[in-house]
């Protein structure tokens, strides 16, 4: 991580708001971690390593197109801070994506 | 449209489409919740499709097969090793904070569709087709305090079909959408009920001076769900951009929304910073490997596609090319046609009913072909009854109206209402004699050489018999009777 601008972009995308003290601490942590990783990686010989497409070696895990029971609506909504008419109620969204 | 007409200017539009099609499967992409449209909010949901912690998604095999089918039907190459990626953004209709999609290794790549506009054929490139999950639906709360979220649609399987920027006009866009829609219907991949949102289109459009090879700044118009709205939005946007350039201004690269009621597009609120979806391979979802056996199995399940069917209809049923094109333009219509055509001899007549009275009724009542109230069996019977001279063409039209309302057997309707053609010569002769007696002036005119008046007399006979008299017999007898009168 090069500067605080990058951190700001990252926290924006992650929808986090940090105090200046938290930001400073996080900036240093991330920088240290990424430097450590960069050092480790640059020491590796990858000339004969195939690019990895996925972390898993398992392929083709599927289900058939068969219905299963849904959650009861009361149960589904039971953790919601607010509900209206069987829906999750969230702060008003003005523009749709 | 007032103002600048882009067709008459030095500008041309460059258009590419992203089409989202809801797959006609029973259950969602990663769980067994139903995909049915129109259910009570949040009654088709489970921990997987609402992003509860610890839930494990498992891919619906049929969704993969449908995506591959769509790829094969649009001349794509099918990838053998595919992967699903997470696309991240925050929005309340996306409970996981990301959409499972495909970024680098979509199932299908490099296809095309052929369209025909103004008698000339054009190939439209298809860059790729990938699978992804739909988001939930936001409902606006009447109190204005909240937005309400219904996750029934969350996780519903979609394919996104991305075209090359090969389209140049609203006519081409229209032809492409209709062609694609037909193919998706034929393959059974998507029901294409646009009013239910199962086919949604994003338009990427820029304009440039004719003959230029570089692209202008483009705008994206999101989420159009009717052919009419797509066509209007393309026309509006091309004109708007050409006018901007004409005034010496530049086109802003932005996302716009189409307001169909006002017939205008307008910019959506700018998001801070560029989009960064931070795609990465979804670790919960295993790679998809498509081997020869599986691919061949899917290939062999492909039905006859519209272009082939059109050729067959011309050969087998002797339909004119235009009619065959019309009928095969809809899978349901072509199925209906074949059901009826195999039950009667006059295939052209079946086709004429479908293109005439039935299409008219469908437009008037705004119903789908699948909901035509007259069964193909009964239409075939009506055609046979008309062909064999039991009822006249005119009466057939009356019978059809009753059939549309009741789907009853036409033979029953004819008997009940006494609509059978009158072939009884003596009965018809009696009516003719009566008509001649009642219209001495007309008879006199004919005697003086005004032969056209015969048509009037025939009309009177048909009126008296409720249109049921056999026209051949009426014609023959009316001359006989006139001759007899004139020789008296």
């Amino acid at each position: 991580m090069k500067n605080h601008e990058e951190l700001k972009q990252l926290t924006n995308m992650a929808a986090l708001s940090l105090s200046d003290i938290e930001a400073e601490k996080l900036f240093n942590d991330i920088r240290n971690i990424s430097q450590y990783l960069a050092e480790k990686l640059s020491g590796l010989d990858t000339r004969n390593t195939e690019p990895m497409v996925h972390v898993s070696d398992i392929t083709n895990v599927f289900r058939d197109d068969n219905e299963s029971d849904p959650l009861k609506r009361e149960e589904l909504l039971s953790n919601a801070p607010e509900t209206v008419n069987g829906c999750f109620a969230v702060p008003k969204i003005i523009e749709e994506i | 449209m007032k103002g600048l007409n882009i067709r008459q200017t030095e500008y041309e539009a460059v258009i590419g489409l992203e089409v989202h099609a809801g797959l006609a499967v029973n259950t969602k992409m990663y769980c067994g919740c139903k995909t049915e449209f129109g259910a009570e909010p949040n009654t088709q949901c489970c921990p997987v499709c609402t992003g509860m912690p610890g839930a494990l998604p498992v891919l619906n095999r049929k969704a993969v097969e449908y995506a591959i089918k769509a790829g094969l039907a649009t001349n794509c190459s099918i990838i053998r090793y595919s992967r699903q990626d997470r696309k991240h953004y925050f929005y309340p209709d996306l409970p996981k904070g990301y959409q499972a999609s495909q970024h680098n290794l979509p199932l299908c790549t490099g296809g095309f569709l052929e369209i025909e506009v103004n008698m000339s054929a054009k190939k439209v490139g298809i860059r790729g087709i990938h699978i992804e999950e739909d988001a939930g639906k936001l409902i606006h709360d009447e109190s204005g305090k909240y937005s309400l979220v219904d996750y029934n649609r969350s996780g519903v399987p979609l394919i996104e079909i991305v075209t090359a920027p090969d389209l140049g006009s609203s006519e081409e866009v229209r032809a492409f959408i209709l062609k694609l829609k037909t193919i998706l219907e034929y393959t059974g991949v998507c029901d294409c009920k646009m009013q239910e949102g199962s086919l949604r289109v994003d338009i990427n459009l820029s304009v440039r001076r004719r003959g230029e090879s570089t692209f202008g700044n483009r705008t994206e118009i999101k989420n159009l769900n009717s052919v009419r709205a797509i066509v209007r939005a393309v026309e509006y946007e091309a004109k708007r951009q050409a006018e901007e350039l004409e005034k010496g201004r530049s086109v802003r690269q932005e996302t716009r929304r189409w307001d169909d009621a006002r017939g205008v597009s307008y910019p959506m609120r700018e998001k801070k910073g560029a989009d960064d979806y931070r795609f990465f391979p979804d670790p919960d979802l295993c790679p998809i490997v498509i081997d020869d056996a599986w691919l061949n199995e899917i290939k062999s399940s492909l039905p006859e596609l519209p272009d082939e069917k059109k050729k067959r209809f011309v050969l087998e049923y002797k339909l004119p090319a235009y009619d065959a094109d019309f009928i095969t333009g809809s899978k349901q219509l072509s199925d209906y046609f074949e059901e009826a055509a195999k039950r009667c001899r006059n295939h052209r007549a079946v086709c004429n009913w479908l293109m005439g009275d039935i299409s008219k009724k469908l437009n008037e009542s705004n119903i789908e072909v699948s909901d035509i109230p007259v069964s193909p069996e009964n239409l075939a019977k009506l055609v046979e009854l008309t062909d064999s001279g039991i009822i006249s063409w005119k009466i057939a039209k009356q019978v059809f109206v009753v059939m549309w309302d009741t789907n009853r057997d036409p033979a029953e309707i004819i008997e009940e209402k006494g609509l059978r053609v009158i072939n009884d010569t003596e009965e018809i002769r009696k009516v003719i004699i009566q008509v001649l007696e009642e219209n001495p002036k007309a008879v006199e005119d004919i005697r003086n050489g005004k032969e056209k008046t015969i048509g009037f007399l025939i009309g009177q006979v048909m009126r008296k018999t409720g249109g049921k008299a056999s026209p051949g017999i009426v014609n023959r007898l009316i001359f006989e009777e006139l001759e007899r009168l004139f020789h008296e």
Side-chain angles (χ1 to χ4, degrees), chain A residues 16-28:
Chain A
L16 295 172
S17 57
L18 303 177
S19 69
D20 288 352
I21 299 164
E22 286 170 320
E24 190 55 37
K25 189 174 180 302
L26 195 63
F27 178 74
N28 288 326

Side-chain angles (χ1 to χ4, degrees), chain A residues 13-66:
Chain A
M13 284 191 299
L16 295 172
S17 57
L18 303 177
S19 69
D20 288 352
I21 299 164
E22 286 170 320
E24 190 55 37
K25 189 174 180 302
L26 195 63
F27 178 74
N28 288 326
D29 283 351
I30 293 178
R31 193 174 50 182
N32 288 338
I33 293 167
S34 54
Q35 269 172 5
Y36 171 78
L37 276 173
E39 276 164 29
K40 284 284 169 196
L41 288 173
S42 61
L44 294 175
D45 180 359
T46 56
R47 276 172 299 183
N48 297 317
T49 309
E50 289 273 314
M52 187 175 73
V53 182
H54 199 275
V55 290
S56 173
D57 291 332
I58 310 166
T59 59
N60 289 2
V61 178
F62 298 121
R63 33 175 285 276
D64 290 329
D65 186 29
N66 296 329

